[in-house]
């Protein structure tokens, strides 16, 4: 799966977990915290994305990205390794 | 016959003052609607005349007062469990032992591993009882923690933002022995998971640092892996059916809800409606007291156990699954059996009524305490405390029989019962 498809899955999970953001345009440059997504919702988005990608990783290994694009990059790299 | 071991009696002390955290959120300009999903109501706030020792003694004294002289003499170990230490060498347990008037044939020490400390202390005591090296002996285990951070300016408050409402104070005292009325531990039924991670820490006596996302992720990873280790050891264990109730370490209710959802999805791919109903039924009761004291760190999983016994209706003996997590990190999933008899004993403690009696701080009083000008700092040598920093709270303490901190004389903490 390419990186942009992964980003699309991440953004899809953001919209599913936080329906309030319906009218908000979201792109790879956005950080979840800046979109007003709280820490519990952030972890749920990551968890759901891992599940959608079939990646079984410790959650702490997904820590570090500063925006959705960087998260997609990280997951893309992890997926290539499996 | 195998020895039974576990918690004979338990008490929660939630301080003498509290703050409505919804009011705090409005005051700080946080999003109240979203905040309510995090399941917090009040938090305990320590007064300058309260410290981890006074909290510990005030939690334990009602348990000791209910025991006969001969029973009290069988307490052969006092373990304090805390991340709010007051000295690098001398343990809190020495002060606690003194003010509770316990005998000299006693092991006194302190355990630290962030919010996991209480479980480490309990397991230490349970294994002491199970070892049979001193038949009939008891241990007193007290988890005591309070958050008291010196917030110098607006920037510090901003940085603290979402953890401010959840940072509480409280102590849980447990008598551990071979007549475990409150929680009979399932011997050998436990699982651990630990690894080095810098999620939250207390690098100085009045500071806390950390990363909320990393801490939440480490908690979720540990919850799953500690449970899997439990299931590896315990034949036939099933997260959904083996435990009538669950108690998790509770930084705030929303975090427990997230961890439960994570586990139910990972283990069973359970649909959202089933997860929600299961949470309400099996974990909801454990939040009763945690919502009123905030995060009590080392004691939090046992504040959950007390809340469960207070608010669930037990028809007969049933198994409880317990999950403890301490940043840094170490975690444990273990289990035990609770009974209607234990529930009756716990309810007789009147924990909820004691919480109702606390002084409700105004935001002005709270912010005065937050500046911390009247608080004894780590390493101070000689200092007297002005007990009237919050006059209404001080007045409410009079005649309560509780221990308060008066000051320091040559580094030695001075207390008295009021």
């Amino acid at each position: 799966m390419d990186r942009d498809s992964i980003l699309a899955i991440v953004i899809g999970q953001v919209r599913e977990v936080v329906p309030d953001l319906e009218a908000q345009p979201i792109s790879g440059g956005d950080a979840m915290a800046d979109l007003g997504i709280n820490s519990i919702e952030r972890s749920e988005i990551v968890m759901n994305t891992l599940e959608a990608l079939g990646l079984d990783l410790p959650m702490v290994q997904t820590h570090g990205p500063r925006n959705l694009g960087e998260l997609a990059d990280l997951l893309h790299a992890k997926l290539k390794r499996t | 016959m195998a020895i039974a071991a576990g918690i004979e009696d338990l008490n929660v002390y939630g301080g003498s003052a509290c703050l409505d955290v919804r009011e705090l959120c409005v005051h700080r300009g946080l999003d109240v609607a979203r905040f309510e999903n995090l399941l917090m109501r009040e938090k305990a706030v320590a007064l300058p005349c309260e410290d981890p020792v006074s909290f510990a003694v005030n939690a334990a004294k009602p348990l000791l007062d209910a025991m006969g002289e001969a029973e009290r003499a069988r307490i052969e170990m006092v373990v304090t469990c805390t991340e709010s230490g007051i000295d690098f060498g001398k343990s809190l347990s020495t002060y606690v032992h003194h003010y509770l008037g316990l005998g000299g044939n006693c092991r006194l020490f302190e355990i630290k591993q962030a919010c996991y400390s209480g479980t480490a202390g309990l397991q230490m005591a349970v294994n002491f009882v199970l070892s049979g090296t001193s038949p009939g002996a008891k241990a007193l285990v007290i988890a005591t923690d309070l958050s008291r951070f010196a917030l110098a300016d607006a920037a510090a408050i901003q940085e603290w933002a979402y953890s401010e409402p959840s940072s509480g104070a409280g102590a849980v005292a447990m008598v551990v022995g071979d007549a475990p009325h409150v929680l009979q531990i399932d011997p050998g039924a436990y699982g651990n998971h630990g690894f080095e991670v810098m999620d939250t820490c207390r690098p100085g006596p009045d500071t806390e640092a950390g990363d909320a996302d990393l801490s939440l992720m480490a908690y979720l990873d540990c919850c799953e892996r500690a449970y899997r280790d439990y299931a590896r050891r315990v034949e036939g264990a099933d997260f959904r059916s083996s435990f009538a109730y669950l108690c998790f370490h509770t930084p705030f209710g929303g975090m427990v809800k997230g961890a439960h959802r994570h586990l139910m999805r990972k283990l069973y791919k359970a649909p959202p409606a089933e997860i929600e109903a299961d949470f309400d039924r099996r974990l909801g009761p454990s939040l009763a007291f945690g919502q009123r004291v905030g995060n009590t760190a080392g004691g939090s999983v046992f504040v959950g156990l007390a809340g469960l016994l207070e608010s669930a209706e037990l028809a007969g003996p049933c198994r409880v699954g317990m999950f403890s997590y301490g940043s840094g990190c170490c975690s444990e999933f273990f289990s035990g059996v609770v009974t209607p008899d234990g529930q009756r004993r716990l309810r007789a403690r009147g924990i909820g009524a004691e919480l109702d009696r606390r002084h409700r701080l105004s935001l002005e009083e709270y912010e005065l305490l937050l500046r911390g000008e009247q608080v004894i700092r780590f390493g101070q040598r000689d200092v007297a405390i002005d007990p009237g920093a919050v006059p209404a709270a001080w007045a409410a303490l009079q005649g309560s029989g509780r221990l308060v901190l008066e000051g320091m004389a040559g580094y030695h903490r001075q207390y008295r019962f009021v």
Side-chain angles (χ1 to χ4, degrees):
Chain A
M1 192 182 297
D2 65 34
R3 181 262 187 199
D4 288 344
S5 308
I6 295 173
L7 178 60
I9 290 174
V10 173
I11 292 173
Q13 293 299 341
V14 169
R15 297 209 177 278
E16 196 175 313
V17 172
V18 195
D20 298 2
L21 293 173
E22 197 181 8
Q24 171 93 23
I26 301 173
S27 70
D30 290 317
M32 290 198 264
D34 295 342
L35 292 169
I37 301 172
N38 71 36
S39 62
I40 300 290
E41 294 161 341
R42 295 198 288 270
S43 73
E44 202 179 340
I45 289 162
V46 172
M47 180 174 80
N48 294 358
T49 304
L50 290 175
E51 202 178 297
L53 295 173
L55 261 178
D56 189 19
L57 287 180
M59 293 284 283
V60 292
Q61 288 190 18
T62 67
H63 184 257
R66 287 162 300 179
N67 56 43
L68 297 173
E70 288 187 11
L71 177 60
D73 290 338
L74 183 144
L75 295 175
H76 184 239
K78 296 276 184 197
L79 207 56
K80 271 207 301 204
R81 244 175 269 149
T82 57
Chain B
M1 199 183 123
I3 304 169
I7 303 170
E8 297 190 349
D9 205 352
L10 181 153
N11 190 40
V12 174
Y13 179 67
S16 55
C18 66
L19 182 73
D20 182 322
V21 293
R22 198 175 189 280
E23 279 177 32
L24 177 66
C25 280
V26 172
H27 182 66
R28 293 270 184 264
L30 301 179
D31 182 337
V32 173
R34 299 284 287 287
F35 174 80
E36 285 184 351
N37 296 332
L38 302 179
L39 308 174
M40 308 178 205
R41 284 172 53 204
E42 296 170 328
K43 68 170 191 165
V45 181
L47 300 173
C49 64
E50 295 179 306
D51 72 356
V53 172
S54 74
F55 264 75
V57 169
N58 291 330
K61 194 163 184 301
L63 303 181
L64 276 286
D65 290 346
M67 293 167 88
E69 195 59 45
E71 249 192 319
R72 255 202 313 268
R74 292 312 315 269
I75 295 178
E76 297 179 6
M77 188 153 101
V78 177
V79 191
T80 46
C81 315
T82 189
E83 58 174 83
S84 317
I86 52 170
D87 188 285
F88 287 123
K90 183 175 166 65
S91 94
L92 291 171
S93 63
T94 56
Y95 284 110
V96 171
H97 176 265
H98 172 72
Y99 285 99
L100 292 175
L102 293 168
N105 62 324
C106 215
R107 284 185 184 138
L108 305 179
F109 60 99
E110 183 170 308
I111 286 180
K112 170 171 72 185
Q113 180 34 57
C115 305
Y116 172 67
S117 67
T119 295
L122 173 66
Q123 292 292 28
M124 171 86 44
V126 164
N127 284 300
F128 166 59
V129 173
L130 289 174
S131 74
T133 51
S134 182
K138 299 179 194 303
L140 177 63
V141 177
I142 310 174
T144 179
D145 271 301
L146 48 92
S147 54
R148 183 146 59 195
F149 305 117
L151 297 178
D153 52 34
I157 289 175
Q158 187 64 30
E159 198 175 312
W160 207 23
Y162 275 93
S163 61
E164 184 185 11
S166 65
S167 299
V172 178
M174 300 177 273
V175 176
V176 177
D178 59 9
H181 305 292
V182 172
L183 180 76
Q184 178 166 349
I185 293 284
D186 295 327
Y190 67 95
N192 292 110
H193 191 69
F195 59 99
E196 198 282 319
V197 61
M198 193 59 174
D199 57 341
T200 66
C201 63
R202 288 191 175 187
D206 305 313
T207 52
E208 187 173 278
D211 181 315
D213 285 81
L214 186 56
S215 191
L216 180 52
M217 287 172 171
Y219 182 106
L220 297 176
D221 286 338
C222 280
C223 189
E224 180 193 345
R225 284 164 174 74
Y227 173 71
R228 288 192 194 275
D229 189 43
Y230 175 97
R232 180 182 65 80
R233 289 176 195 275
V234 182
E235 203 185 332
D238 179 71
F239 181 73
R240 226 173 353 189
S241 61
S242 297
F243 315 103
Y245 294 99
L246 297 161
C247 298
F248 284 13
H249 165 53
T250 310
F252 53 91
M255 189 148 163
V256 173
K257 205 166 179 176
H260 171 260
R261 184 168 51 227
H262 180 77
L263 211 50
M264 291 292 280
R265 284 185 74 126
K266 276 270 185 167
L267 296 175
Y268 306 107
K269 298 205 180 307
E274 181 195 329
I275 295 175
E276 185 80 22
D278 188 65
F279 176 82
D280 290 345
R281 183 171 57 83
R282 292 201 296 161
L283 269 156
S286 75
L287 303 181
F289 293 140
Q291 288 187 338
R292 305 198 56 193
V293 291
N295 186 0
T296 48
S300 138
V301 67
F302 305 106
V303 170
L305 178 64
L308 161 67
L309 291 171
E310 181 80 14
S311 55
E313 286 307 326
L314 303 184
C318 57
R319 179 152 285 112
V320 181
M322 314 268 292
F323 172 65
S324 175
Y325 171 81
S327 287
C329 68
C330 184
S331 68
E332 182 154 337
F333 192 100
F334 62 106
S335 63
V337 173
V338 294
T339 64
D341 169 55
Q343 176 164 57
R344 185 181 53 73
R345 289 166 186 263
L346 189 284
R347 284 177 175 171
R349 292 259 151 262
I351 294 166
E354 286 297 320
L355 294 176
D356 291 342
R357 271 193 274 278
R358 294 177 300 181
H359 171 70
R360 296 180 69 83
L361 293 165
S362 67
L363 281 164
E364 291 72 28
E365 289 170 332
Y366 172 68
E367 299 229 301
L368 175 79
L369 293 175
L370 210 51
R371 286 201 293 278
E373 287 151 9
Q374 310 83 1
V375 170
I376 290 184
R377 296 292 172 203
F378 196 95
Q380 278 189 286
R381 182 179 180 141
D382 297 292
V383 57
I385 284 175
D386 169 15
V390 180
W394 177 245
L397 265 170
Q398 302 313 305
S400 64
R402 287 182 178 155
L403 192 71
V404 296
L405 175 63
E406 288 196 297
M408 306 274 275
Y411 300 116
H412 196 199
R413 289 188 177 229
Q414 310 291 315
Y415 300 87
R416 73 180 166 98
F417 288 101
V418 291

